[in-house]
Amino acid sequence: MEFMLDTADIDAIKELDEVLTVAGVTTNPTIITKSGKTPEQVISELVDYLRPDQSLFVQSVSMDFEGIMEEARYINALRPENTYVKIPVTREGMKAIKAAKAEGLNVLATAIYSADEAFMAALNGADYLAPYVNRMCNYGDGVGQVIDLIRMIEVQGLSSKIVAASFKSVEQVHELIAAGIQAVTVQPDIVRAMIDHPGTEIAVGEFTDAWDKTFGRKTLR
Ligand code: E4P
């Protein structure tokens, strides 16, 4: 299972990558516009920081087939491996996903709002499918649709991996991990909420206090 960070904030990436097993980083145009940096700065920081085994996902911005293809080639060439273009599943995007895979490019199908859209992108050969879980919840049962998608991909023997995205709660992430999702991409605040349980700090404080009171030190030896 791959756990990825959904952010372009290099400080947050470094902070969480030291503590956790981070399989990769996903960005989108909105995330990059909010960084306060140019796209070139953000991309170069990520390319410089990530280890070769960590994946990088950068989204195409053009809306027409030729523009998407040109950006897909550029993004794939940023690093020798584990670099993916994120292509939204519009009509032009679907066409580009098919063509990009025929060229041997790495592709993540994004802006997915239904299991059916995702399934069609999987048939076009997308390596990853990114359903927007929380946004899907505005139209119905987002988590349920993604659980359906997990089954659809499995029973039809397709190789695409689902990387669930657009989370707004720890519970949404938890439910999909428990359902067997292959990958998730999660924004730093939600990742922190997954690991920083206040009970853990309290328990550790109690252990240290008891040790200190009994042995007059806060270390084992
Ligand atoms: C990640 O790949 C997606 O672009 C992202 O999770 C979308 O999240 P949002 O719904 O918070 O914009």
Side-chain angles (χ1 to χ4, degrees):
M1 197 262 164
E2 296 170 39
F3 193 94
M4 314 216 207
L5 300 177
D6 195 18
T7 183
D9 178 344
I10 193 73
D11 294 329
I13 293 168
K14 288 177 182 171
E15 169 210 330
L16 294 168
D17 188 37
E18 269 188 6
V19 179
L20 303 173
T21 302
V22 173
V25 168
T26 59
T27 66
N28 67 34
T30 309
I31 287 174
I32 293 180
T33 57
K34 286 182 180 162
S35 70
K37 297 175 185 167
T38 65
E40 292 74 19
Q41 282 173 317
V42 172
I43 289 171
S44 121
E45 278 177 353
L46 294 174
V47 167
D48 289 348
Y49 177 74
L50 292 173
R51 294 190 314 270
D53 63 301
Q54 291 174 308
S55 298
L56 172 63
F57 298 81
V58 178
Q59 193 162 321
S60 56
V61 177
S62 292
M63 293 173 69
D64 63 295
F65 173 77
E66 289 302 340
I68 298 170
M69 290 303 294
E70 193 270 315
E71 292 172 5
R73 293 180 196 111
Y74 162 75
I75 291 164
N76 268 259
L78 288 170
R79 302 160 81 217
E81 56 189 341
N82 293 323
T83 305
Y84 295 79
V85 58
K86 293 174 67 185
I87 302 181
V89 291
T90 56
R91 290 282 183 111
E92 292 290 289
M94 281 287 199
K95 190 172 144 190
I97 289 169
K98 207 172 154 183
K101 284 315 300 172
E103 272 189 30
L105 301 177
N106 295 328
V107 174
L108 176 150
T110 194
I112 288 172
Y113 276 70
S114 76
D116 299 316
E117 265 184 338
F119 185 73
M120 294 308 188
L123 287 179
N124 277 4
D127 302 287
Y128 285 91
L129 311 167
Y132 279 12
V133 178
N134 191 68
R135 297 194 200 197
M136 288 163 75
C137 290
N138 295 324
Y139 297 87
D141 179 6
V143 170
Q145 283 258 336
V146 179
I147 292 172
D148 262 1
L149 177 61
I150 295 171
R151 275 199 300 268
M152 288 161 81
I153 295 296
E154 194 181 323
V155 299
Q156 294 299 334
L158 296 174
S159 59
S160 307
K161 290 193 225 175
I162 305 165
V163 52
S166 179
F167 288 109
K168 289 295 168 279
S169 74
V170 169
E171 196 187 355
Q172 291 169 338
V173 182
H174 177 112
E175 282 187 59
L176 288 174
I177 293 174
I181 194 93
Q182 293 98 338
V184 291
T185 185
V186 186
Q187 64 189 67
D189 284 352
I190 296 177
V191 179
R192 293 186 188 106
M194 291 176 80
I195 59 173
D196 294 333
H197 197 293
T200 304
E201 285 297 318
I202 293 167
V204 171
E206 288 168 356
F207 293 139
T208 308
D209 283 352
W211 195 268
D212 194 18
K213 278 184 193 127
T214 308
F215 303 117
R217 61 176 191 264
K218 294 184 177 179
T219 55
L220 181 62
R221 298 188 298 146

